[in-house]
Amino acid sequence: MDSSREEDLGVYQMLWDCSYCGASKLLARDHKHCPNCGGAQDPTWRYFPEDADKVKVEDHVYIGKDVICAACQAPNAAGAAFCGACGAELDGSKAVQLRGDQAADEGAAFAADTARAARDEHRAAKLAAQAARQAEADAAHGAPPPAPEESGGSKGKIAGIGCGVLLLLAVVCGGLGFWWFGRTTVATIEATSRSWTTTIQVEEKQSVRESAWKESVPSGAERVSCRSEKRDSRSVSDGETCKNVRKDQGDGTFKEVKECKPKTKQEAVMGEKCDYTVNKWARTREAKATGGPKDAVAYPDPKLRRTGDCVGCERAGAKAEVFTIQWRESGGKRALSCDTTRSIWDKVQVGSKWKGPVGVNKDFVDCAKLQPAG
Ligand SMILES: [Zn+2]
Ligand SMILES: [Zn+2]
């Protein structure tokens, strides 16, 4: 079942109560006048019957909603030329308002309905329609729309302002901090020392226990053990949910239908999860060498314990070199430094003076923008 469906359960009489003599459960289609006192039916008093009071209308031919006589308010069948109650011409008369649908779960009884409930529903609908018309008229005349209710009240407002102030402060402080630490000025600086640092990451082959879905287990994995585990879920068809609905047809009858919608449920999708042991290279330590301008730049001896592809064997991994220059600001006592490229580092001799951007409030020298000074 992949779509909604509707099943016809027949056409029945709406009921009405006579407002003149109090007779109740009168048939809305058959009795346009009270069989007890002759009073005209008020179509706003039509209500749905309890199951026990249902009267079926066989071979019902639906023409349309009843129309209300403008002269006497009596309902007349659609298509009638003259009012059956007072004889007035029905041309251009308004159709009756429909009662809202009534619904009940499949197998459950419908909630009890009354003429009073029907009348209240019609009044509410009428008031809503009036309000809508008024709003439309106001809008057409340029009147301001009704003021929307203040959300949260004054407390919310104060909290809102507080949050706004905090947010503003945070932005200002953040910006200020950025400006404070990011500010640079051009200064004359003297190189006081130069150094280099080289590093080699040392990796060790290790035996690691891991787990993965079966198709992701790496080749060469050992001691593989798998089990069934929930991997995903999918929605599957699970019959349908139905309810019975009564629909006022406006001609003194209502139609009862069964409306069904397909239902789904979540079902687990299983997969095979495996634990396994695999040998992997992992970074375990770093070898480091440093030197000054007189020392040839060289990489450290990583002192590998054991080479090869065994568990516990080591190999040299990623290499890096950093060239650092220490500075003193002329006229000041501040010590500054920069990490830079080999070619700049080579050019700068200890004791030489340079001009370039330095941090006003933090240790920063833009060594890529240095110009010889004096
Ligand atoms: Zn009556
Ligand atoms: Zn009439």
Side-chain angles (χ1 to χ4, degrees), residues 68-76 82-90:
I68 297 167
C69 171
C72 74
Q73 308 301 314
N76 287 270
F82 299 97
C83 177
C86 72
E89 207 175 336
L90 291 171

Side-chain angles (χ1 to χ4, degrees), residues 18 20-23 26 34 36-39:
C18 176
Y20 303 101
C21 71
L26 305 172
C34 174
N36 189 35
C37 73

Side-chain angles (χ1 to χ4, degrees), residues 217-289:
V217 172
S219 60
E222 287 171 354
R223 299 205 288 129
V224 181
S225 85
C226 303
R227 65 200 174 272
S228 186
E229 207 172 89
K230 186 184 169 192
R231 184 170 188 173
D232 201 356
S233 61
R234 65 172 163 227
S235 86
V236 293
S237 168
D238 183 31
E240 55 182 11
T241 35
C242 300
K243 59 180 181 179
N244 291 339
V245 181
R246 291 166 154 190
K247 297 173 177 182
D248 182 4
Q249 303 204 95
D251 65 346
T253 69
F254 68 89
K255 197 165 75 170
E256 198 165 305
V257 294
K258 184 156 116 178
E259 289 178 353
C260 298
K261 283 192 183 116
K263 201 167 71 175
T264 59
K265 65 178 176 192
Q266 292 303 108
E267 193 180 75
V269 176
M270 304 304 283
E272 263 205 287
K273 191 71 167 284
C274 304
D275 294 331
Y276 56 88
T277 303
V278 72
N279 296 336
K280 271 186 159 179
W281 290 103
R283 205 176 72 83
T284 49
R285 61 190 175 90
E286 184 184 82
K288 199 169 180 179

